Amino acid sequence: MILVFVLVLATILAILGTAHWYVWRRLIRDTTAARTRWRRAGTVLFIAGPLLAVGALAGEQAGMPHSLAGIVAWPGYIWLAVFLYLFLGVVAGEVVRPLLSWWLGRRATTASVAASQGDRAAAVPAAVSVGANPVDVTDSDASVPAAPAVPGESARISRRVFVSRVAGGAAAAVALGTVGAGTYGVLNGPSIKRITVPLAKLPRSAHGLRIAVVSDVHLGPVLGPRFCRRVVDTINSTQPDLIAVVGDLIDGDVEDLADSVEPLRGLQSKLGTFFVTGNHEYISGVEPWVAKVQELGMRPLRNARVEMAGFDLAGVDDIAGEDEGLGPDFAATLRDRDPSRAVVMLSHQPVTIHDAVKNGVDLQLSGHTHGGQMWPGNYIAELANPTNAGLEQYGDTQLYVSRGAGAWGPPVRVGAPSDITVVELASRQA
């Protein structure tokens, strides 16, 4: 077992190392002269970045103090996000590079022909304006280091270097802009999404009941008390009848995150706040966290149900609990219930929908997927889950999956905005 783990880890590190070398080669080596400060600075960045990323991923699990983990986590996780889009940008640049090189070559040929015919003015386009200085792009594809730029003077660089700088600069600009916007989106807090879900068994008396669904807050080394307070304020602004916290509330130990979760004490609703575990509660220590959320005023539903006015609210433990002899138990949770009453099930992972269908659940509320969090992660999430985000029908059961309020790892979302969803139940008898 240990050998398998070592082999898998070695394979992952080899892939990441190769990817970093490839991006460094395109962005740093191909665009800078050897033994210059720009080459050295870029190389240092490509060494420090992945080291910080490993520290961020393994920090607290390896016993790193929470305060130090918070310092390492920010640059480490941001590097992961930036590198993802640098890699995608460089790969896309492989298509652009030959096209740009061909265009420059054709331009230079046209200028040479015009010059040979005596039209000296037509030869001027061979110079490409870069910044304040004209830079002559030579016809040679060999790497020719450019002389230090001096105001009012020209430097000559090879066409290959010029193309590399244009492609690399575009990739870096897109990556930084994408990650910057995605980080702002997370730190600005989740938006409010509203949907109406009709339930055939819901009586008219419960028509219009509003459930605020919040998942995947992931309070930890990166997202702390300020972010938690923003989430609480957003939930309270919806004035819900009931709040459902469907797992992955935290990333870390109770002792380290006591201040971060304290704002949750201020959650307000008419019928209370209910909580089910996610896989990250099991990673961080499920029993201490279940006790903590109770102390904060939430009611854990661990393979349990409670009768509400007009429907049953139930909750199951996360699948991760199966390793500890726990996990979801739909049969036990729904045993002896009145089948004429609608049942709303809280279950962290969407993959439990098939058990929900077998056991006559009317609506399952889940999270876990983050909607993929960062494009193109949505394609992976869609492969791993029956529903990536939104509302879908499975037999007589409806499944709603929230994209989550926070973010895991990089505090960045691209193409999968965070949300708190207000699910309004509708009676078909109304």
Side-chain angles (χ1 to χ4, degrees):
M1 189 65 181
I2 296 177
L3 179 60
V4 172
F5 173 78
V6 171
L7 289 174
V8 170
L9 180 62
T11 301
I12 293 173
L13 291 177
I15 293 172
L16 288 175
T18 302
H20 274 79
W21 173 83
Y22 164 66
V23 176
W24 170 85
R25 179 173 174 269
R26 283 305 195 198
L27 293 186
I28 307 301
R29 195 200 70 174
D30 290 356
T31 62
T32 60
R35 295 183 297 279
T36 62
R37 65 177 182 274
W38 296 111
R39 173 75 64 87
R40 288 193 293 269
T43 301
V44 168
L45 178 64
F46 271 78
I47 293 174
L51 290 177
L52 286 169
V54 170
L57 289 168
E60 290 195 271
Q61 285 71 28
M64 183 183 295
H66 180 71
S67 57
L68 179 58
I71 295 172
V72 173
W74 265 104
Y77 283 136
I78 291 296
W79 172 257
L80 283 177
V82 170
F83 179 76
L84 169 64
Y85 293 106
L86 283 177
F87 179 81
L88 294 175
V90 169
V91 170
E94 299 295 355
V95 177
V96 176
R97 291 164 63 92
L99 295 176
L100 180 58
S101 183
W102 169 83
W103 179 78
L104 287 173
R106 183 176 179 182
R107 197 164 179 259
T109 300
T110 302
S112 297
V113 171
S116 66
Q117 294 175 348
D119 188 354
R120 298 181 61 186
V124 174
V128 179
S129 178
V130 178
N133 301 319
V135 177
D136 292 334
V137 181
T138 69
D139 290 341
S140 173
D141 285 334
S143 178
V144 180
V150 179
E153 294 186 3
S154 298
R156 294 183 63 82
I157 60 175
S158 72
R159 186 189 308 155
R160 184 182 64 81
V161 172
F162 177 75
V163 168
S164 295
R165 289 181 179 178
V166 171
V174 170
L176 293 174
T178 299
V179 172
T183 303
Y184 174 80
V186 170
L187 299 183
N188 195 45
S191 61
I192 298 172
K193 183 178 179 180
R194 299 178 186 272
I195 65 169
T196 299
V197 181
L199 299 179
K201 298 177 184 178
L202 191 74
R204 183 179 300 179
S205 60
H207 178 76
L209 186 139
R210 290 168 295 114
I211 303 174
V213 181
V214 56
S215 73
D216 302 280
V217 183
H218 287 287
L219 299 172
V222 174
L223 301 178
R226 182 179 299 178
F227 181 77
C228 183
R229 193 172 301 109
R230 189 181 294 270
V231 170
V232 169
D233 290 343
T234 302
I235 294 171
N236 289 344
S237 72
T238 69
Q239 298 182 323
D241 296 301
L242 184 153
I243 300 171
V245 181
V246 289
D248 281 8
L249 178 63
I250 46 76
D251 282 311
D253 297 334
V254 171
E255 295 79 10
D256 291 331
L257 299 181
D259 291 339
S260 294
V261 299
E262 186 61 27
L264 294 169
R265 202 181 299 276
L267 287 171
Q268 300 172 1
S269 63
K270 296 177 182 177
L271 301 176
T273 300
F274 296 83
F275 169 86
V276 293
T277 58
N279 54 303
H280 281 252
E281 273 75 40
Y282 278 93
I283 294 172
S284 300
V286 66
E287 299 303 336
W289 273 115
V290 169
K292 182 62 179 180
V293 298
Q294 283 182 299
E295 192 262 324
L296 291 170
M298 303 183 199
R299 180 172 177 177
L301 292 176
R302 306 191 68 187
N303 295 328
R305 76 176 188 276
V306 58
E307 291 188 1
M308 312 295 289
F311 70 100
D312 290 343
L313 180 70
V316 292
D317 261 351
D318 186 68
I319 295 172
E322 293 176 347
D323 294 336
E324 301 181 18
L326 301 171
D329 190 337
F330 279 78
T333 303
L334 302 176
R335 185 179 297 128
D336 300 328
R337 61 175 297 271
D338 183 353
S340 68
R341 288 169 57 87
V343 57
V344 176
M345 176 67 70
L346 310 183
S347 178
H348 178 63
Q349 299 197 39
V351 293
T352 61
I353 184 60
H354 306 297
D355 289 323
V357 173
K358 292 176 184 177
N359 288 275
V361 171
D362 296 275
L363 171 64
Q364 176 174 311
L365 302 175
S366 299
H368 184 65
T369 69
H370 297 210
Q373 187 165 322
M374 295 190 301
W375 183 92
N378 57 300
Y379 297 113
I380 299 173
E382 287 168 2
L383 290 173
N385 297 277
T387 295
N388 180 37
L391 183 68
E392 290 190 358
Q393 186 86 29
Y394 292 85
D396 294 329
T397 303
Q398 297 180 79
L399 169 65
Y400 179 74
V401 181
S402 168
R403 290 190 178 95
W408 179 80
V412 181
R413 282 179 174 265
V414 178
S418 58
D419 70 71
I420 289 168
T421 304
V422 178
V423 176
E424 183 173 325
L425 302 183
S427 171
R428 291 177 177 169
Q429 304 170 24

